[in-house]
Amino acid sequence: MTTQRTSNGVPNGHNGFRSDSEPDSPSTDSSDSPVNGVNGITNVAGSLKINTRSNMSRKKSSPMMPAFMVSAPGKVIVFGEHAVVHGKAAVAAAISLRSYLLVTTRSKSNRTVTLKFPDIDFDHAWNIDELPWSTFQHPSKKVYYHSVVTKLDPELVAAVQPFLADVSPTKEGPIRKVHQNAAGSFLYMFLMLGSQSFPGCQYTLRSTIPIGAGLGSSATIAVCLSAALLTQLRALSGPHPDQPLDEARKQIERINSWAYVYEMFIHGNPSGVDNTVSTQGKAVVFQREDYGKPPSVRPLWDFPELPLLLVDTRVPKSTAHEVAKVGRLKNKHPKLVGSILDAVDKVTQASAEVLTEEDFDTESEESLARVGELMTINHGLLVSLGVSHPRLERVRELVDHQGIGWTKLTGAGGGGCSITLLKPGVEKEKLDKLEEQLDQEGFQKFRTTLGGDGVGVLWPAVLKNGMDEDDQGGMEIDLEKFLSAEGNDGVERLVGVHGGGGEREGWKFWRVENDAQF
């Protein structure tokens, strides 16, 4: 069978992204179609259907799935931190810092699945055949790729634990905990979605996003792994320019739903805002009033692209600790803290209106000042809740002294990062002086933008980088090149969505029209 391709060259056949119209694909949306249709075996309505051929006419084995990449952006909460945990709205936006996941399929004889995250010195493999498939595949536990999982199953969580015991045994406590969380989240999602016939493969991740800084780094991993697994299972189609709106929306929902499962394993009861904006991109007004129901998500498709100075204080913070702190304060002073959270909510709603006005001008200081003033108010309310930090206040002091923008904390606070909306036409000398002061005081700075694309795919892992190889169809991104890329700049130059310029040829994104609601 000849593999068909869409108009942008993305495969539709059995060795790549499937077409939703492909009748023999195991990735049908039928409610009784489980995701274990690998190597020609599909469980339909409780019975096995095996694709058989006579020995004389047996088709030769298909080649392994080519290496491909998935990328997802980090995020900042622009408005509404902490209030979002208490049922209020938040505005979150994608930033241009991203994670990149390279997926390589191994030979049929190699029955291992490997996670390799060199940026955090994590590398671990499991034998696929030794994993607890019988527990996850039990009729009372089995779920499907199109299922919506809103809580973890304690028995399935327990079944994963023995396979975390030998993860990073020589690492120190906090580092080992990070590794075990990543491993446990992956295994839980892998076992729910996959089957024992899943091919051996390796997932190698590089990221340009600071870890533990409130920028949604774990959510980008969740989104990348979700999209990668669903791609391997042929449960996604596209993305392609003429993809129907409803189909594109369904793909985004599916990726986001499984990324949330990954996040639940790590965080217990996450708001869901990180994985939502990382999957979708641009910006959203996000609200979750009932954790037993899907969140309300209003996309801000007209959200302007805004240049930011993102500053990492390099002070480790704990989201759980800061959230618990506000919870205790609310329990002691319910009316007072409740009114503060209500005020945060009003600021959030006002910001969404301002940022999506038809006459909003990113080059106008008057337009930007309206947003900046709301940022200042939001930060002050968060300070009153006790979630700022002296290092965050120092960044605000330095920026205010130069008079070049408006600064607030982003995320849980207690350390982590700040964001500064810069005034238009800021003198280079002032920016240089500010950045020099930040360097001298041990801050890490990033120039980034808000409102970019969400999850994207590079199928196969071939890019055109303006090199000689482009004449032969582009440069293949193999594992060695990916691992040897040095630092954030090296990763971006090699595989980055923008790579130092405009959107790079090869990367494709699920883009949903302005009137889409999901």
Side-chain angles (χ1 to χ4, degrees):
M1 181 183 73
T2 301
T3 299
Q4 297 179 346
R5 292 183 178 270
T6 63
S7 59
N8 67 354
V10 177
N12 261 348
H14 285 290
N15 291 320
F17 293 111
R18 69 172 182 88
S19 166
D20 275 349
S21 62
E22 194 172 325
D24 292 329
S25 169
S27 304
T28 172
D29 276 336
S30 170
S31 62
D32 58 0
S33 176
V35 186
N36 60 359
V38 182
N39 296 333
I41 302 178
T42 308
N43 188 346
V44 181
S47 62
L48 287 178
K49 182 176 76 175
I50 304 177
N51 297 332
T52 59
R53 296 174 182 266
S54 67
N55 290 335
M56 295 297 293
S57 62
R58 180 173 297 167
K59 182 181 176 182
K60 291 183 179 180
S61 296
S62 298
M64 292 184 297
M65 180 178 284
F68 67 96
M69 296 197 76
V70 182
S71 177
K75 73 90 184 59
V76 293
I77 296 182
V78 192
F79 295 96
E81 292 90 345
H82 286 282
V84 71
V85 179
H86 298 272
K88 310 298 183 182
V91 171
I95 56 176
S96 55
L97 303 178
R98 302 180 71 95
S99 289
Y100 297 91
L101 182 75
L102 177 64
V103 182
T104 49
T105 305
R106 292 173 162 163
S107 64
K108 290 183 178 180
S109 61
N110 189 325
R111 298 294 299 147
T112 60
V113 58
T114 302
L115 291 184
K116 190 176 184 68
F117 300 171
D119 297 326
I120 59 172
D121 193 26
F122 173 49
D123 188 349
H124 196 83
W126 296 269
N127 185 311
I128 294 175
D129 297 321
E130 294 177 355
L131 294 174
W133 295 108
S134 60
T135 302
F136 277 78
Q137 297 288 336
H138 191 275
S140 65
K141 304 294 184 184
K142 180 63 184 172
V143 297
Y144 305 91
Y145 70 84
H146 49 76
S147 301
V148 177
V149 179
T150 59
K151 61 182 179 180
L152 300 183
D153 186 316
E155 292 183 27
L156 298 183
V157 172
V160 166
Q161 298 306 314
F163 298 89
L164 307 181
D166 60 346
V167 170
S168 303
T170 63
K171 301 295 183 184
E172 296 180 359
I175 296 175
R176 189 181 187 207
K177 183 65 175 177
V178 170
H179 293 184
Q180 288 180 320
N181 280 340
S185 298
F186 167 76
L187 284 180
Y188 192 92
M189 185 164 63
F190 180 72
L191 286 159
M192 291 191 94
L193 281 171
S195 72
Q196 193 167 347
S197 56
F198 205 91
C201 51
Q202 178 166 311
Y203 303 91
T204 306
L205 185 115
R206 301 293 305 273
S207 181
T208 65
I209 306 168
I211 297 171
L215 303 179
S217 59
S218 73
T220 67
I221 300 172
V223 173
C224 284
L225 285 169
S226 172
L229 286 169
L230 291 168
T231 294
Q232 290 176 289
L233 293 164
R234 301 187 292 277
L236 297 175
S237 59
H240 50 84
D242 56 349
Q243 188 169 31
L245 174 63
D246 289 345
E247 183 181 276
R249 184 170 64 238
K250 185 182 294 184
Q251 311 306 305
I252 289 292
E253 289 174 339
R254 189 165 293 163
I255 295 168
N256 190 37
S257 176
W258 284 102
Y260 183 69
V261 173
Y262 183 104
E263 285 281 88
M264 281 194 293
F265 196 99
I266 294 178
H267 300 298
N269 194 23
S271 69
V273 65
D274 287 12
N275 51 277
T276 297
V277 74
S278 185
T279 304
Q280 178 180 301
K282 288 299 279 185
V284 300
V285 177
F286 180 98
Q287 190 167 11
R288 195 180 194 106
E289 298 179 276
D290 184 346
Y291 277 81
K293 298 178 181 178
S296 166
V297 179
R298 178 163 63 92
L300 299 178
W301 296 113
D302 296 325
F303 191 92
E305 186 173 307
L306 299 174
L308 285 187
L309 179 65
L310 174 67
V311 178
D312 185 357
T313 64
R314 290 181 169 172
V315 175
K317 57 87 188 170
S318 166
T319 297
H321 176 78
E322 299 302 320
V323 168
K325 182 193 298 184
V326 174
R328 289 193 297 271
L329 195 64
K330 185 181 179 183
N331 288 337
K332 291 181 180 179
H333 310 282
K335 291 184 178 180
L336 178 60
V337 174
S339 66
I340 294 173
L341 296 175
D342 288 340
V344 172
D345 187 53
K346 291 179 180 178
V347 170
T348 299
Q349 301 293 353
S351 72
E353 293 179 8
V354 171
L355 285 163
T356 55
E357 289 176 349
E358 289 186 9
D359 59 349
F360 187 91
D361 184 358
T362 59
E363 301 299 322
S364 165
E365 184 168 339
E366 181 180 352
S367 289
L368 293 178
R370 294 173 66 195
V371 179
E373 289 161 1
L374 291 171
M375 290 173 64
T376 300
I377 295 170
N378 196 164
H379 181 81
L381 292 169
L382 292 171
V383 170
S384 72
L385 294 174
V387 296
S388 188
H389 186 277
R391 291 277 283 175
L392 288 166
E393 297 306 314
R394 177 58 176 162
V395 176
R396 295 188 71 243
E397 180 183 359
L398 291 172
V399 172
D400 289 349
H401 181 71
Q402 294 296 333
I404 62 176
W406 303 268
T407 301
K408 67 178 288 292
L409 69 83
T410 182
C417 292
S418 69
I419 53 174
T420 297
L421 176 62
L422 297 173
K423 294 179 180 179
V426 173
E427 297 175 6
K428 184 178 183 299
E429 291 76 12
K430 286 187 175 182
L431 271 176
D432 289 344
K433 184 175 181 180
L434 172 63
E435 294 190 2
E436 181 180 351
Q437 288 178 303
L438 292 170
D439 286 337
Q440 289 176 351
E441 297 189 24
F443 295 98
Q444 186 177 19
K445 62 188 183 300
F446 303 87
R447 291 196 183 186
T448 185
T449 56
L450 293 178
D453 285 309
V455 61
V457 294
L458 179 66
W459 177 285
V462 176
L463 279 172
K464 293 191 175 182
N465 295 312
M467 300 180 181
D468 293 339
E469 294 92 336
D470 289 357
D471 294 334
Q472 287 76 46
M475 181 182 70
E476 181 179 353
I477 309 302
D478 64 19
L479 184 58
E480 182 178 354
K481 290 175 182 176
F482 190 46
L483 289 172
S484 61
E486 295 185 8
N488 288 1
D489 290 341
V491 171
E492 283 295 331
R493 282 195 302 270
L494 180 67
V495 302
V497 166
H498 297 286
E503 186 176 309
R504 181 177 271 166
E505 183 177 348
W507 283 105
K508 306 298 177 186
F509 302 90
W510 286 273
R511 290 185 171 123
V512 185
E513 299 295 335
N514 288 8
D515 60 352
Q517 297 293 323
F518 59 91

